């Protein structure tokens, strides 16, 4: 890493506007090289409680600032993130592994939520409702929920935080996040820039520590936490929801996915190939909206597969810092081995490897394509979270909709078709929170991101994204006719 601004590389948790040390440290490792790039002080349960209490104290003033004041500070934060985009991207690639170009893209994507919600803060409108009797007036106002606690994953170390924090701060809430242990540096760099932007002490706090369970208990159960928001696996999300149940916390969850990508016989095949590459291989297949199963109609199966396999074989695997790398390392060697296990199990059940599929080299897994896959094979039933495309043939629309929906997940889905009747039928029939139609890249700050079924609840981004951080209060004004 060669940063223009070394002060962005922080090693301490950020609580109540100051940097907190502890007795032990956590190594942060570059997944491409295995090299330790930093040691971050390991915050504990008490420091997590301190962060929650600080956020509670800061809420008193922050919730009373005007939307304009909050927006102005957030715009400064956004501008600083964009000004330091290159440094932030280097930090991100060093700790997470994705190619530098993708990391730059994530910084812009993450910062865009801060800009979007800075603007949206000014549009938290209330309502007036005609009352059932003449001497009353009914009004609805919206108020910030209070302290928001968050736990985020390693796959988007910047954007998974900004998507939550931007909406929370815009609504007038204060915020405590525990980032994934593997990728704390991006979160701490965001805290440094929040401070430079003038965001008051206690409004945005970052606690880094390896006691996931202990810190998670504080963030889900502390009486001062009003709302808990999580991005991560469905398995951990389920457990955290149950922890929130005791205190009846408001909860939103962005969990796992198993995205179908359907190519109909009227699709533009070249566009579908590009869409499949975009939605599958970004971040080495480690995104929640990654294509997990490619369904291709029999008539175009050969044409699609031939072009797709050729494109996948041309993808360049390497260190994310190296020029031209398209597929970086996976987050760990265990993650690469888990993907390889799914491939081996599915091949044993009749799937055929037509690209990649070789034994992982440490954290690196070759982009892989499997054909002759069935929807009940391990590679299709599980969230792969790696660079493998299983191709499943289908005959008609009804069959493919049934197969696509045959999963506990409901995050993203994609399909390529040109017939307008088919487009409406399939878009409405897919049981997923987001559907890309002739498009493989669907995430942006203006759009509501989120899932149905066991992919979670709540939405991030868009004007709907503020709702999760606001309470509706009904005011009944009586005595008008006295
Ligand atoms: P994960 O294992 O669920 O971990 C996510 C976060 O939860 C990490 O910060 C982790 O901490 C923490 N955690 C784990 N166990 C915990 C516990 N018992 N109590 C409190 N916190 C706990 O998920 P992951 O492997 O990092 O991320 C991949 C998953 O995230 C995939 O399923 C993916 O689909 C999902 N995801 C969803 C979205 C979305 O928007 N829907 C976006 C991105 C990713 P440690 O780092 O210390 O383990």
């Amino acid at each position: 890493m060669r940063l223009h601004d070394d002060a962005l590389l922080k090693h301490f948790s950020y609580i109540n506007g100051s940097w907190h040390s502890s007795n032990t440290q956590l190594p942060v490792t570059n997944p491409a090289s295995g090299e330790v790039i930093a040691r971050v002080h390991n915050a504990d349960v008490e420091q997590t409680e301190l962060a929650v209490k600080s956020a509670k104290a800061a809420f008193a003033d922050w919730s009373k600032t005007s939307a304009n004041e909050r927006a102005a500070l957030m715009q400064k934060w956004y501008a600083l993130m964009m000004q330091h985009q290159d440094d932030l991207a280097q930090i991100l690639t060093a700790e997470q592994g994705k190619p530098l170009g993708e990391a730059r893209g994530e910084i812009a994507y993450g910062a865009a939520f801060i800009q979007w919600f800075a603007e949206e803060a000014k549009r938290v409108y209330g309502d007036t409702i005609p009352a059932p009797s003449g001497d009353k007036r009914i009004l609805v106002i919206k108020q910030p929920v209070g302290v928001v606690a968050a736990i985020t994953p390693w796959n988007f170390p910047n954007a998974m935080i900004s998507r939550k924090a931007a909406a929370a701060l815009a609504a007038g809430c204060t915020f405590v996040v525990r980032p994934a242990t593997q990728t704390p540096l991006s979160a701490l760099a965001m805290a440094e820039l929040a401070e430079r932007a003038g965001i008051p002490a206690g409004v945005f706090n970052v606690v880094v520590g390896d006691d996931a369970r202990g810190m998670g208990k504080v963030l889900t159960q502390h009486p001062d936490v009003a709302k808990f928001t999580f991005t991560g696996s469905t398995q951990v999300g389920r457990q955290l929801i149950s922890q929130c149940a005791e205190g009846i916390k408001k909860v939103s969850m962005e969990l796992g996915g198993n995205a179908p990508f359907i190519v109909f016989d009227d699709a533009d095949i070249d566009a579908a190939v590009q869409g499949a590459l975009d939605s599958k291989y970004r971040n080495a297949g480690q995104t929640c909206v990654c294509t997990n199963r490619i369904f291709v109609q029999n008539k175009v199966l050969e044409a699609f597969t031939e072009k797709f396999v050729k494109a996948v074989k041309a993808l360049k695997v390497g260190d994310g810092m190296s020029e031209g790398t398209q597929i970086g390392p996976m987050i760990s060697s265990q993650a690469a081995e888990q993907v390889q296990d799914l491939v081996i199990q599915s091949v044993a059940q009749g799937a055929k490897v037509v690209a990649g599929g070789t034994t992982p080299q440490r954290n690196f897994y070759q982009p892989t394509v499997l054909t002759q896959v069935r929807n009940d094979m391990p590679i299709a039933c599980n969230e792969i979270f790696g660079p493998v495309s299983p191709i499943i043939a289908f005959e008609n629309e009804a069959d493919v909709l049934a197969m696509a929906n045959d999963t506990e997940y409901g995050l993203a889905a994609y399909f390529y078709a040109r017939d307008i009747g088919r487009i409406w039928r399939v878009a409405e029939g897919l049981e997923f929170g987001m559907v890309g139609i002739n498009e493989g890249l669907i995430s942006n700050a203006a759009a509501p991101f989120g899932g149905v079924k066991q992919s979670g609840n709540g939405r991030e981004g868009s004007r709907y994204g503020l709702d999760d951080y606001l309470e509706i209060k009904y005011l009944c004004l009586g005595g008008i006719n006295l």
Side-chain angles (χ1 to χ4, degrees):
M1 260 188 287
R2 272 194 222 103
L3 303 182
H4 299 290
D5 184 344
D6 289 329
L8 291 175
L9 199 57
K10 291 290 179 203
H11 304 91
F12 307 99
S13 288
Y14 182 70
I15 302 168
N16 203 23
S18 55
W19 301 95
H20 286 240
S21 63
S22 60
N23 295 331
T24 58
Q25 293 174 12
L26 287 172
V28 182
T29 308
N30 180 336
S33 62
E35 177 201 353
V36 173
I37 50 170
R39 291 184 192 277
V40 176
H41 285 244
N42 192 9
D44 57 14
V45 163
E46 276 165 34
Q47 285 171 313
T48 312
E49 284 170 350
L50 179 65
V52 169
K53 284 186 187 144
S54 308
K56 178 71 177 177
F59 180 72
D61 284 343
W62 182 250
S63 59
K64 297 207 170 47
T65 53
S66 70
N68 277 356
E69 287 171 87
R70 292 196 297 278
L73 291 172
M74 290 176 67
Q75 290 285 11
K76 276 194 201 153
W77 194 17
Y78 161 75
L80 283 166
M81 280 181 50
M82 291 311 292
Q83 185 187 326
H84 294 284
Q85 184 180 13
D86 282 346
D87 279 355
L88 295 175
Q90 278 198 55
I91 292 171
L92 205 162
T93 293
E95 66 177 348
Q96 199 274 338
K98 67 180 62 176
L100 201 53
E102 277 189 36
R104 271 198 207 97
E106 178 179 339
I107 301 304
Y109 172 64
F113 285 91
I114 298 175
Q115 183 189 44
W116 168 271
F117 282 112
E119 292 161 352
E120 210 55 20
K122 301 171 191 168
R123 289 183 274 277
V124 178
Y125 300 134
D127 211 352
T128 59
I129 299 173
S133 64
D135 67 338
K136 289 193 178 71
R137 298 292 180 271
I138 296 177
L139 301 108
V140 174
I141 61 169
K142 291 185 183 171
Q143 293 182 303
V145 296
V147 174
V148 173
I151 296 181
T152 52
W154 48 264
N155 64 343
F156 286 88
N158 177 295
M160 294 304 101
I161 295 173
S162 69
R163 260 188 358 192
K164 297 178 189 301
L169 267 55
C173 301
T174 52
F175 192 80
V176 179
V177 61
R178 177 192 179 275
T181 322
Q182 280 143 317
T183 56
L185 301 175
S186 295
L188 296 174
M190 287 172 77
E192 166 69 16
L193 294 178
E195 181 171 272
R196 290 187 201 176
I199 304 230
V203 171
F204 180 76
N205 305 275
V206 181
V207 279
V208 176
D210 65 357
D211 181 5
R213 277 174 192 275
M215 295 167 85
K217 279 214 162 125
V218 175
L219 298 176
T220 51
Q221 298 187 329
H222 195 288
D224 286 344
V225 171
K227 181 200 163 76
F228 177 71
T229 170
F230 175 72
T231 299
S233 62
T234 295
Q235 190 192 356
V236 173
R238 197 176 285 126
Q239 184 185 328
L240 296 175
I241 291 176
S242 73
Q243 287 176 206
C244 287
E246 203 174 312
I248 320 284
K249 309 285 187 205
K250 274 176 100 75
V251 171
S252 45
M253 293 276 149
E254 295 288 351
L255 306 176
N258 181 346
F261 184 104
I262 308 170
V263 185
F264 285 101
D265 56 14
D266 59 335
D268 174 337
I269 297 298
D270 290 331
V273 167
Q274 188 56 48
L277 288 173
D278 291 343
S279 65
K280 174 72 244 184
Y281 292 102
R282 204 161 50 102
N283 202 15
Q286 303 169 109
T287 88
C288 52
V289 291
C290 264
T291 284
N292 208 64
R293 296 167 290 160
I294 302 183
F295 295 99
V296 189
Q297 203 156 12
N298 280 325
K299 232 171 156 182
V300 291
L301 182 62
E302 207 180 309
F304 174 86
T305 306
E306 193 185 315
K307 288 186 177 188
F308 184 64
V309 168
K310 192 171 167 214
V312 171
K313 283 183 173 166
L315 290 172
K316 193 171 164 220
V317 180
D319 185 329
M321 293 286 189
S322 308
E323 192 70 29
T325 293
Q326 292 165 294
I327 308 279
M330 297 191 61
I331 192 68
S332 63
S333 56
Q334 294 93 307
E337 281 155 21
Q338 275 170 20
V339 170
Q340 173 75 346
D341 273 355
L342 289 176
V343 170
I344 290 171
Q345 288 173 42
S346 303
V347 168
Q349 294 179 22
K352 193 174 156 208
V353 177
V354 290
T358 46
T359 308
Q361 302 294 308
R362 294 183 298 107
N363 299 12
F364 290 92
Y365 194 77
Q366 281 298 321
T368 295
V369 182
L370 303 181
T371 56
Q372 298 175 27
V373 175
R374 288 189 320 270
N375 205 33
D376 61 355
M377 287 182 178
I379 200 76
C381 299
N382 292 283
E383 185 180 29
I384 304 169
F385 235 59
V388 182
S389 295
I391 297 185
I392 304 172
F394 72 92
E395 189 54 45
N396 62 48
E397 199 178 298
D399 287 351
V400 78
L401 261 182
M403 284 195 285
N405 289 335
D406 186 16
T407 164
E408 70 198 17
Y409 295 111
L411 193 59
Y414 310 85
F415 69 94
Y416 278 66
R418 301 309 300 181
D419 177 83
I420 191 68
R422 169 178 276 170
I423 285 175
W424 275 109
R425 285 192 304 274
V426 175
E428 290 174 357
L430 285 167
E431 295 164 0
F432 294 82
M434 298 172 281
V435 181
I437 305 164
N438 298 320
E439 180 57 59
L441 296 172
I442 55 174
S443 307
N444 60 73
F449 189 105
V452 299
K453 293 161 77 176
Q454 292 191 35
S455 287
N457 52 43
R459 292 293 179 271
E460 293 187 342
S462 85
R463 67 187 172 91
Y464 305 103
L466 269 184
D467 294 345
D468 282 0
Y469 298 90
L470 293 165
E471 290 286 10
I472 284 177
K473 189 181 278 179
Y474 153 49
L475 308 180
C476 181
L477 184 63
I480 304 280
N481 296 340
L482 283 180

